[in-house]
Amino acid sequence: MPMVIENVTKLVANEKHIDSISLELEPGTFNILLGRTLSGKTSLMRLMAGLDKPTAGRILMDGQDLTRLSVRKRDVAMVYQQFINYPSMTVSENIASPLRLAKVSPSEIDRRVREVAEMLHIENLLDRLPVELSGGQQQRTAIARALVKDAELLLLDEPLVNLDYKLREELRTEMREIFKRRQSIVVYATTEPLEALALGGNTAVLHEGRLEQFGPTIDVYQHPRTTRIAQAFSDPAMNFVAGKVDGNNLHLADTLQAPLQNHLRGLTPGDYRFGMRPSHLQLQRTTDSDIEFQTTLDLAEISGSETFVHVLHNAQSWTVQQQGIHNYRMGEKTQVYIDPSRLYVFDLDGHLVASPEQHSAARSLR
Amino acid sequence: MKKWDDNKAWFMVIPVFLVVAVSAILPLMTVVNYSIQDIFGPDNRIFVGIEWYREVLTDSRLHDALNRQLLFSSLVLLIEIPLGILIALMMPKKGWGASLSLVLVALPLLIPWNVIGTIWIIFTRPDIGLFGAAINGLGIAFDHTGAPLDAWITVMLMEVWHWTPLVALLAYAGLQAIPEAYFQAARIDGASTWATFRYIQLPKMRGVLTIAVLLRFMDSFLIYAEPFVLTGGGPGNSTTFLSIYLVKLAVGQFDLGPAAAFSIIYFLIVLLFCWLFYQVLLKVGTGDKS
């Protein structure tokens, strides 16, 4: 029973919130909508749920046109960024509420409430009210409410954003397990590339209401079709440097030169943009073939057990992601290195020409 | 680390202390003074202990006024709270309609008490008032100066017209604070309008409604200007509420001792009811069954 979204467009006050998106989602799959705030994730979810009607296009479920069907008649469940539960109902009444409205028998309700409550480890909180719960427990209750319905379509709109770091990791791991066993189409919106990678499944990258790329999450990460997708699916953002290929040589930033190797070998001569992930840039030389750049230290941010070092290269700011906590003297000259086999290659229009992951992906397939 | 006392903090507290002392504690002490003494002049006073309290508590006219007052305040709450919620639910949530309805609803709150009285007296007069003439024209005799029930209805109308907007505004603020996601969730669940009200809007308004109930109770319990302007407590004693009776006692009969004792009791009654309401409303819907 696939869900098919056909050329769906949503205009709000003549502004395109969703711009002609087509997407096909299979039951039993976990699908991530990745994009910044205002990229259209929530708008798309509201259209999928039937809370809004599209300006143009169709939404089909199992071949049946649902576009004009009201949300009450659809089989949908949704979890929000805020912890939404009925304030005057206990946890068990909250979880049972969709079933009660659907006129399920009391014994069946009881059985299903217990089952999902156990799945989400809130079985000992069933008699409490939402105000007596922690944020994490409130969101577990909301997820349980959404799961108990066993809806065809389960929408999760940044459900972990308002939780602290530890709880987020914990719930994320659990959710991955829970959804694996479901036949629903799960759609999960997030702004964080790392969360998308951790959740796996498929990823749809959204930008300004347009669908940029859709495919298995790892695939999208390793082969971003454009520089924009590469930017969106990299945290911190990917660094870029202009360069060109002539004959058997690679010229980066006009001055540097290196022989073409590995995935770069097939490049036709011409101008390109080269992308470097922050985690691939080094402050020390690691291999003999490393390319060296002269840069100036600008800023160092410490984040957890990592340090993000911002350097300036020809007035362009790059980010180097370093393991461990380091101290740097700002304004100092420093060398930055990259292994040329880690370079992403885009043409001047921003389309991917070569990805460093082709080889490794091919290797892992074998 | 070296520690030292900094007494400067006291200077921050003293102004508040002075203001409260002058505005609340000193006047209250004067009342306490009057309630336990019979005072004839600055140097001529007799300590009477709880005599005034005994007199006031056994006064049957005061019992009548208290019963009247309790009935009045209960009716006020029973009418104004649901009506205020209803108005708040009907007000547009955004756009120019929201601003317009806010202004319209808030209008009665801007009118002084005595003016409200005057407006309604004229409005309900059987000879020249639109409302009074219309009612009488329908064949129903309506006269707030003669019939006690009609006087009650008129005071009630004034009170409801004047203060329901406050309840509506508070309820409206409570409704506006509910995140949109709650309503989406209810729609996805297939909840009816009534279920949405009962399980989302009403529980979410609990805080503001607690305040509305407290304010309206206190204020209606102290009602003075409306019945005073209308009939001065009549016809008979039918609209002699507690504060009207208190003023009759203190200003009309110049019985300052009993009036002072009465004030203290009055104050304690209001305090007691507010405490009770507060305790009850805090527990409703929190699952605290104690």
Side-chain angles (χ1 to χ4, degrees):
Chain A
M1 296 195 293
M3 181 181 195
V4 181
I5 296 167
E6 261 180 24
N7 299 315
V8 161
T9 295
K10 176 73 182 173
L11 291 172
V12 178
N14 273 325
E15 218 177 289
K16 270 188 182 165
H17 283 204
I18 294 294
D19 190 355
S20 191
I21 287 185
S22 295
L23 203 56
E24 195 171 326
L25 306 175
E26 294 292 333
T29 54
F30 192 89
N31 304 283
I32 296 159
L33 300 180
L34 176 68
R36 303 203 180 126
T37 357
L38 298 178
S39 61
K41 303 185 299 295
T42 304
S43 305
L44 187 58
M45 281 198 163
R46 291 179 60 96
L47 292 171
M48 287 179 177
L51 287 162
D52 289 332
K53 303 272 168 279
T55 315
R58 294 201 304 165
I59 294 172
L60 305 154
M61 182 71 99
D62 196 20
Q64 197 192 346
D65 191 342
L66 293 186
T67 319
R68 302 284 144 195
L69 199 64
S70 104
V71 59
R72 285 172 209 280
K73 299 214 177 85
R74 297 201 196 181
D75 193 10
V76 192
M78 190 156 177
V79 178
Y80 303 82
Q81 198 174 320
Q82 302 103 317
F83 313 136
I84 305 291
N85 292 300
Y86 295 109
S88 59
M89 293 185 187
T90 62
V91 169
S92 73
E93 287 169 341
N94 257 298
I95 302 174
S97 62
L99 298 179
R100 285 217 183 116
L101 286 162
K103 304 266 188 301
V104 177
S105 75
S107 57
E108 172 75 4
I109 289 182
D110 206 52
R111 193 185 62 75
R112 278 164 75 176
V113 167
R114 290 219 160 264
E115 191 187 299
V116 284
E118 267 162 40
M119 213 185 282
L120 284 151
H121 309 296
I122 46 173
E123 66 270 26
N124 53 337
L125 305 171
L126 286 175
D127 293 327
R128 302 239 192 124
L129 286 167
V131 284
E132 300 168 305
L133 303 177
S134 71
Q137 293 166 338
Q138 287 183 41
Q139 195 63 320
R140 280 171 189 272
T141 308
I143 294 172
R145 243 182 65 227
L147 283 178
V148 81
K149 248 176 126 174
D150 227 350
E152 287 176 298
L153 179 63
L154 177 56
L155 304 166
L156 301 120
D157 192 358
E158 301 188 45
L160 305 181
V161 167
N162 290 343
L163 295 174
D164 67 62
Y165 170 76
K166 261 260 137 336
L167 276 174
R168 206 185 297 178
E169 298 237 302
E170 198 182 294
L171 206 48
R172 187 188 289 151
T173 320
E174 283 178 38
M175 277 202 299
R176 215 166 41 191
E177 286 307 307
I178 290 168
F179 295 133
K180 238 180 224 166
R181 285 171 283 165
R182 300 237 143 202
Q183 271 314 293
S184 315
I185 300 170
V186 183
V187 182
Y188 185 108
T190 181
T191 54
E192 293 170 46
L194 296 178
E195 185 162 77
L197 280 174
L199 286 165
N202 301 319
T203 290
V205 180
L206 296 182
H207 182 80
E208 290 174 358
R210 280 185 307 277
L211 176 64
E212 298 279 339
Q213 190 171 355
F214 179 62
T217 304
I218 296 292
D219 253 23
V220 177
Y221 181 76
Q222 293 184 336
H223 303 281
R225 263 192 330 110
T226 63
T227 48
R228 189 184 287 152
I229 297 163
Q231 288 275 34
F233 210 157
S234 175
D235 183 25
M238 196 181 259
N239 306 301
F240 289 98
V241 62
K244 72 175 183 227
V245 170
D246 80 48
N248 278 327
N249 283 320
L250 166 69
H251 300 267
L252 284 181
D254 301 329
T255 53
L256 303 150
Q257 200 177 326
L260 293 178
Q261 292 175 320
N262 302 327
H263 68 292
L264 304 174
R265 215 166 273 159
L267 292 177
T268 50
D271 291 322
Y272 294 97
R273 290 185 78 194
F274 294 88
M276 305 171 285
R277 290 202 186 273
S279 54
H280 293 159
L281 285 177
Q282 308 287 342
L283 295 175
Q284 291 87 31
R285 183 179 284 279
T286 46
T287 66
D288 286 343
S289 57
D290 273 5
I291 303 173
E292 181 183 301
F293 296 99
Q294 296 300 325
T295 63
T296 314
L297 273 165
D298 191 29
L299 182 71
E301 282 176 79
I302 293 164
S303 161
S305 57
E306 294 177 332
T307 308
F308 297 122
V309 187
H310 297 265
V311 296
L312 287 173
H313 175 260
N314 290 345
Q316 233 188 334
S317 182
W318 288 352
T319 314
V320 181
Q321 186 176 357
Q322 279 230 302
Q323 288 298 322
I325 292 167
H326 307 270
N327 264 319
Y328 295 100
R329 289 243 296 283
M330 299 305 112
E332 225 171 51
K333 298 269 176 244
T334 184
Q335 286 78 39
V336 168
Y337 302 90
I338 184 152
D339 179 349
S341 67
R342 301 279 204 180
L343 287 172
Y344 285 78
V345 190
F346 298 91
D347 63 21
L348 292 183
D349 296 329
H351 294 287
L352 186 71
V353 179
S355 160
E357 307 289 352
Q358 275 159 346
H359 296 276
S360 53
R363 256 202 308 277
S364 66
L365 279 178
R366 238 180 278 143
Chain B
M1 204 173 84
K2 194 177 165 244
K3 267 187 166 184
W4 66 86
D5 286 323
D6 191 347
N7 288 323
K8 266 189 281 212
W10 284 106
F11 289 101
M12 308 290 181
V13 183
I14 282 171
V16 177
F17 182 75
L18 284 177
V19 167
V20 172
V22 171
S23 67
I25 298 173
L26 291 181
L28 191 66
M29 285 320 292
T30 318
V31 178
V32 171
N33 248 341
Y34 270 98
S35 75
I36 54 173
Q37 299 180 77
D38 200 350
I39 299 178
F40 304 101
D43 303 314
N44 188 0
R45 60 183 72 198
I46 306 161
F47 181 75
V48 294
I50 59 164
E51 181 55 36
W52 298 137
Y53 287 92
R54 190 177 296 141
E55 188 184 315
V56 165
L57 285 172
T58 53
D59 181 353
S60 67
R61 280 171 304 172
L62 185 127
H63 292 165
D64 293 345
L66 179 64
N67 287 336
R68 222 172 272 138
Q69 186 70 70
L70 285 173
L71 179 63
F72 181 77
S73 290
S74 315
L75 285 175
V76 162
L77 290 184
L78 282 176
I79 296 173
E80 287 185 7
I81 302 294
L83 188 60
I85 294 173
L86 196 66
I87 293 173
L89 286 172
M90 292 191 306
M91 284 164 71
K93 280 189 135 188
K94 50 189 165 206
W96 61 270
S99 323
L100 182 71
S101 62
L102 274 177
V103 172
L104 285 179
V105 168
L107 267 184
L109 295 171
L110 304 176
I111 301 172
W113 296 307
N114 46 356
V115 177
I116 297 257
T118 318
I119 291 173
W120 280 90
I121 287 172
I122 298 172
F123 196 44
T124 54
R125 265 176 70 159
D127 48 353
I128 56 166
L130 197 61
F131 180 79
I135 290 276
N136 282 295
L138 288 173
I140 304 160
F142 185 88
D143 178 14
H144 60 67
T145 54
L149 181 65
D150 296 354
W152 262 74
I153 290 173
T154 311
V155 176
M156 206 58 141
L157 276 172
M158 289 182 195
E159 163 70 35
V160 168
W161 184 79
H162 195 181
W163 290 113
T164 305
L166 180 75
V167 180
L169 290 182
L170 283 170
Y172 186 67
L175 287 175
Q176 291 287 66
I178 304 173
E180 180 54 33
Y182 275 94
F183 298 107
Q184 281 181 34
R187 274 169 73 195
I188 286 178
D189 281 358
S192 63
T193 313
W194 165 251
T196 308
F197 173 72
R198 168 67 185 79
Y199 295 111
I200 296 173
Q201 291 172 312
L202 199 57
K204 282 272 161 192
M205 279 194 292
R206 207 183 73 223
V208 288
L209 288 181
T210 304
I211 293 171
V213 167
L214 285 179
L215 282 179
R216 286 323 304 137
F217 175 78
M218 269 195 288
D219 213 45
S220 68
F221 209 76
L222 304 175
I223 188 168
Y224 179 75
E226 287 88 345
F228 177 75
V229 174
L230 189 72
T231 54
N237 273 331
S238 61
T239 56
T240 301
F241 299 116
L242 284 177
S243 59
I244 298 251
Y245 186 59
L246 175 62
V247 173
K248 277 186 183 169
L249 211 59
V251 183
Q253 305 168 15
F254 216 66
D255 286 336
L256 292 184
F262 183 6
S263 300
I264 300 277
I265 294 167
Y266 200 174
F267 168 67
L268 291 177
I269 292 173
V270 174
L271 208 61
L272 174 75
F273 273 106
C274 287
W275 181 78
L276 282 176
F277 275 127
Y278 190 67
Q279 291 303 318
V280 171
L281 288 168
L282 272 189
K283 277 178 190 152
V284 170
T286 58
D288 190 347
K289 273 127 197 149
S290 60

